C-alpha cells in the first residue's frame, strides 16, 4: 500500500466504534521519511476538531519539548496509537487499539524510522512491552527489528504534574545524544 492509499483508507475507516463520534480522523503529521517518530495515544478534543495530532495544550508543550533538542514537526513524524478521539479523552480500549494498530504499523513500514519515541504509558505498553512501567522505565532504550525505542512521559502528564519535568528534560537530552550517536541529521 502506498502512502496515499493508506491515508485514504484510514480517513474512511469504520473498523471500530470511535468512527461514530469522531469529527476527523487524525492520521499523522510530519516528514514522510523521518528518522525519528513520536507516538501518542489518541487524539484529544482539538485534534479531533482539526484533524492534526498534538495541537491542543499537550501539543503546545510537546512542541516546546521538541524545540529544546532542535526537533520540529517538519523534521520528525508524529502520530497516535488510535487515530480517532476516544470520547471524553478516556484511554483507548484494547479492541480499539487492536482495530487501529495496523495503520501505525503501515506508517512505520513506509517511513522506516530509526528511532520511535513513545509518549506515555499507552504507546509504550503497546509498542515496547506489555508490562512497560513508564515511571520506572522512561528514558531507557531497546532495539526491536532495527528500530530503537524509548518512552518519555506524555506531555499531558507533565501538565498535570510539573514535578516530572526535570526527568523528562534529561530524557530529551539523552534522545538528542542518541540521535547524534546514530549520525542522524534532522
Ligand atoms: N494526546 C495524544 O496522545 N495525542 C494527541 O494527538 C493529542 C493529545
Amino acid at each position: 500500500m502506498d502512502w496515499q492509499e493508506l491515508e485514504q483508507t484510514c480517513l474512511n475507516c469504520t473498523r471500530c466504534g470511535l468512527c461514530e463520534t469522531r469529527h476527523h480522523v487524525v492520521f499523522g503529521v510530519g516528514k514522510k521519511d523521518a528518522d525519528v517518530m513520536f507516538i501518542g495515544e489518541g487524539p484529544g478534543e482539538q485534534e479531533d476538531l482539526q484533524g492534526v495530532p498534538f495541537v491542543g495544550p499537550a501539543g503546545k508543550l510537546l512542541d516546546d519539548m521538541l524545540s529544546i533538542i532542535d526537533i520540529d514537526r517538519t523534521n520528525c513524524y508524529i502520530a497516535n496509537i488510535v487515530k480517532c478521539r476516544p470520547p471524553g479523552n478516556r484511554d483507548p480500549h484494547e479492541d480499539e487499539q487492536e482495530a487501529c494498530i495496523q495503520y501505525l504499523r503501515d506508517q512505520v513500514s513506509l517511513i522506516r524510522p530509526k528511532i520511535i519515541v513513545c509518549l506515555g504509558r499507552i504507546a509504550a505498553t503497546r509498542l515496547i512491552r506489555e508490562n512497560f512501567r513508564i515511571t520506572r522505565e522512561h528514558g531507557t532504550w531497546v532495539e526491536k527489528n532495527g528500530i530503537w525505542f524509548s518512552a518519555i512521559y506524555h506531555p499531558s502528564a507533565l501538565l498535570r504534574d510539573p514535578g516530572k519535568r526535570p526527568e523528562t528534560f534529561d530524557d530529551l537530552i539523552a534522545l538528542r545524544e542518541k540521535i547524534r550517536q546514530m549520525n542522524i541529521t534532522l
Side-chain angles (χ1 to χ4, degrees), residues 61 65 68-69 119 138-139 151-155 157-158 161-175:
L61 180 56
M65 288 158 62
I68 294 173
I69 53 171
L119 301 170
H138 66 85
I152 62 176
Y153 282 118
H154 193 287
L158 302 176
D161 179 3
K164 292 187 165 82
R165 290 187 187 203
E167 295 167 79
T168 304
F169 181 79
D170 292 346
D171 293 346
L172 290 169
I173 299 302
L175 168 60

Side-chain angles (χ1 to χ4, degrees), residues 63-119:
D63 286 339
D64 291 347
M65 288 158 62
L66 298 186
S67 74
I68 294 173
I69 53 171
D70 302 318
I71 297 181
D72 63 39
R73 283 165 187 257
T74 62
N75 61 15
C76 68
Y77 196 86
I78 302 173
N80 282 301
I81 297 288
V82 298
K83 311 298 196 217
C84 297
R85 183 191 185 200
N89 297 348
R90 62 162 170 77
D91 288 352
H93 294 155
E94 187 61 33
D95 60 328
E96 294 159 350
Q97 294 185 36
E98 209 44 62
C100 206
I101 196 73
Q102 190 60 42
Y103 293 123
L104 181 62
R105 289 203 190 104
D106 291 342
Q107 286 174 306
V108 170
S109 300
L110 290 167
I111 294 170
R112 304 183 66 241
K114 298 185 173 126
I115 290 175
I116 293 180
V117 180
C118 300
L119 301 170

Side-chain angles (χ1 to χ4, degrees), residues 26 40-44 47 52-55 58 80 119 154 156:
V26 180
E41 62 181 69
E47 291 77 18
V52 182
F54 286 98
V55 287
N80 282 301
L119 301 170
H154 193 287
S156 299

Side-chain angles (χ1 to χ4, degrees), residues 7-16 18-20 22 25 83-84 99-100 103:
E7 184 162 4
Q8 243 353 284
T9 310
C10 187
L11 294 184
N12 293 319
C13 184
T14 55
R15 286 183 197 170
C16 83
L18 296 181
C19 69
E20 285 160 26
R22 75 175 177 230
V25 172
K83 311 298 196 217
C84 297
C100 206
Y103 293 123

